[in-house]
Amino acid sequence: MTLDDLVMLDVLLSAMLLMLAIAALHSQSLRRSIILFIVFGLVTALAWARLKAPDVALAEAMIGSGVAGALLLAALRDRKPDSKATTERGRPSWQVLTVTYLVIGLALTASWAFLDAHQNQSGPRIGALVQSELTNSGVSNPVTAVLLNFRAYDTLLELAVLSAALLGVLALGPERAAPRIAGPVVTHLVAWLAPLLIVTAGYLLWVGAHAPGGAFQAGALLAAAGIIVRLSGKPQAGLPSGIRLRLITAAGCGVFLFVGLASMSGGASLLQYPADWAGTLILLIEVFATLSIAASLLLVYLGGQPDAWASGRERGHA
Amino acid sequence: MLETSTLYGLLGIVLASLGLHAAILQRDTLRRILAINILGVGVFLVFIATAYNGPTTVPDAVPHALVLTGIVVAVAATALALALLRRLEATRETDDDQ
């Protein structure tokens, strides 16, 4: 494959992404829009792979396209067909024109800034620092090293954001109605697929230390296994109930924080792991983060307060 | 000759602009949530394009980690927005019944 072929591939991918985005945004049918958005996410994963970002490609395909697509489709199913919100009315033309010109202006400014920064990129890049310190991080995949060691603070807060979003969804109302019992073909397919997804999630978690993968991708795959188990007619989607479910959703943040605080006892600062233990501690944090992420993503898909969550306390209120 | 990173960076800006445009002008909230997701992908594309250093060198891992974090936060925010929308539409329906 020559260099020109590769550039041609990039141009084709870009054109596909552009057309898919326009079609997803302006399709008449909302259902078609959502399905086009899922396709858009999968093609984006190819673009990440072309830009040498395989970790991001995995996360985009599983979370950005898969989980987000499942959430949007479930939200569409919740709607009554004659819902008032679905009726389309046009905006007055002066509003459309003003917004269009403003967005075009913003896009041109951003393009100029991007090209300017791109051509005058001198000075140290933080990526070089990551590469030179990689041997001290306990893992050999630079993205995992940044996520769980160099910038572990960001990841801890990100898990907190996920928990906060989960609490918001739990507070907002009853669980979605469970799907009907699926036919034998789907049930058997799921019985075959779910264990495969769980094993793959375990592999991704383990391999994240030295190759593309890690807690987020593994957690998303586990959540996907839960979603298809639910779609095959098991309302609880394989989740434990009551106090165990609460512990699992809190474990990601909790263990992360505990390791961070424990590292302070030796005189180091928050989340500054001892160098000999870094690899083990990162794996420990990632195992619990995976379980937490999977349970949280699955719970936000179920929506509201599912039975599994409520069964831990008195059911008299229900 | 157009470089790979320039191509994807400019594409990211165009996608973000299309998403922003639709997020402001669409009437349907579900479509707006979808538009904001496309806006997010555009922003991520700009980040990853700046991390790219050509086909032979190792890309910058920090923007990759930021985008990974961003994808998870985006889906969490989408889930919360959809839950709010569901509650809003349920409230509207009971108001209509009265």
Side-chain angles (χ1 to χ4, degrees):
Chain A
M1 208 184 239
T2 64
L3 191 66
D4 280 354
D5 291 335
L6 292 175
V7 173
M8 203 57 224
L9 180 62
D10 291 325
V11 173
L12 278 176
L13 268 180
S14 305
M16 266 176 83
L17 282 175
L18 196 58
M19 286 190 290
L20 281 169
I22 293 172
L25 287 171
H26 298 287
S27 167
Q28 284 291 312
S29 140
L30 191 51
R31 181 176 203 81
R32 190 177 303 153
S33 282
I34 294 171
I35 291 166
L36 284 168
F37 173 73
I38 296 172
V39 179
F40 172 80
L42 290 173
V43 180
T44 316
L46 288 180
W48 302 140
R50 287 289 301 139
L51 286 167
K52 301 184 75 153
D55 292 270
V56 184
L58 283 171
E60 178 73 41
M62 291 168 196
I63 307 174
S65 168
V67 178
L71 282 170
L72 286 166
L73 281 175
L76 184 66
R77 203 191 62 183
D78 286 341
R79 274 195 163 165
K80 301 269 182 336
D82 57 333
S83 171
K84 257 203 296 190
T86 52
T87 54
E88 296 273 333
R89 281 163 301 163
R91 298 262 177 191
S93 58
W94 68 268
Q95 278 186 6
V96 177
L97 278 179
T98 318
V99 171
T100 308
Y101 286 135
L102 282 177
V103 169
I104 289 175
L106 197 66
L108 288 177
T109 318
S111 308
W112 173 78
F114 173 76
L115 290 174
D116 187 58
H118 205 66
Q119 274 156 11
N120 308 322
Q121 50 172 261
S122 54
R125 295 193 66 156
I126 202 167
L129 194 62
V130 171
Q131 289 299 328
S132 66
E133 292 291 320
L134 193 56
T135 46
N136 299 329
S137 70
V139 289
S140 58
N141 176 6
V143 178
T144 305
V146 173
L147 278 175
L148 271 307
N149 196 337
F150 302 144
R151 303 285 307 165
Y153 208 70
D154 292 355
T155 311
L156 171 61
L157 289 181
E158 182 212 348
L159 289 175
V161 167
L162 191 58
S163 305
L166 171 64
L167 288 179
V169 174
L170 286 173
L172 275 169
E175 180 189 14
R176 253 185 205 113
R180 284 165 296 165
I181 304 296
V185 176
V186 178
T187 314
H188 279 91
L189 182 71
V190 169
W192 190 81
L193 209 54
L196 201 65
L197 284 173
I198 294 169
V199 171
T200 315
Y203 168 76
L204 275 176
L205 173 64
W206 179 256
V207 86
H210 56 88
F216 296 110
Q217 293 89 339
L221 260 195
L222 272 185
I227 290 174
I228 62 165
V229 167
R230 159 107 168 168
L231 289 176
S232 77
K234 309 256 184 312
Q236 207 164 316
L239 284 172
S241 48
I243 188 75
R244 276 183 298 166
L245 184 57
R246 286 171 166 76
L247 281 177
I248 285 180
T249 49
C253 244
V255 171
F256 210 146
L257 204 57
F258 177 75
V259 170
L261 290 174
S263 67
M264 286 173 85
S265 65
S269 56
L270 182 69
L271 289 167
Q272 188 182 358
Y273 320 129
D276 300 339
W277 285 81
T280 318
L281 289 177
I282 286 176
L283 186 64
L284 178 77
I285 293 170
E286 281 201 304
V287 168
F288 286 100
T290 301
L291 293 175
S292 246
I293 291 166
S296 303
L297 289 177
L298 196 48
L299 278 170
V300 297
Y301 174 76
L302 301 188
Q305 268 193 20
D307 281 347
W309 188 267
S311 62
R313 52 151 207 251
E314 293 297 313
R315 298 296 301 277
H317 309 292
Chain B
M1 193 71 214
L2 193 63
E3 275 182 65
T4 312
S5 54
T6 324
L7 175 71
Y8 282 112
L10 294 179
L11 174 70
I13 291 171
V14 172
L15 289 179
S17 310
L18 284 171
L20 179 65
H21 187 258
I24 297 172
L25 288 177
Q26 297 276 5
R27 293 273 187 184
D28 186 343
T29 317
L30 194 52
R31 280 184 185 276
R32 285 183 161 182
I33 295 171
L34 195 147
I36 288 172
N37 270 288
I38 289 185
L39 195 168
V41 170
V43 174
F44 297 153
L45 206 51
V46 176
F47 264 83
I48 299 292
T50 55
Y52 185 73
N53 278 330
T56 48
T57 40
V58 184
D60 191 338
V62 177
H64 288 190
L66 285 178
V67 169
L68 245 170
T69 316
I71 289 176
V72 179
V73 171
V75 85
T78 304
L80 184 58
L82 290 173
L84 282 167
L85 173 64
R86 192 159 77 109
R87 182 63 183 265
L88 190 67
E89 288 184 348
T91 316
R92 272 193 201 135
E93 270 162 28
T94 43
D95 285 353
D96 288 350
D97 291 344
Q98 283 163 4

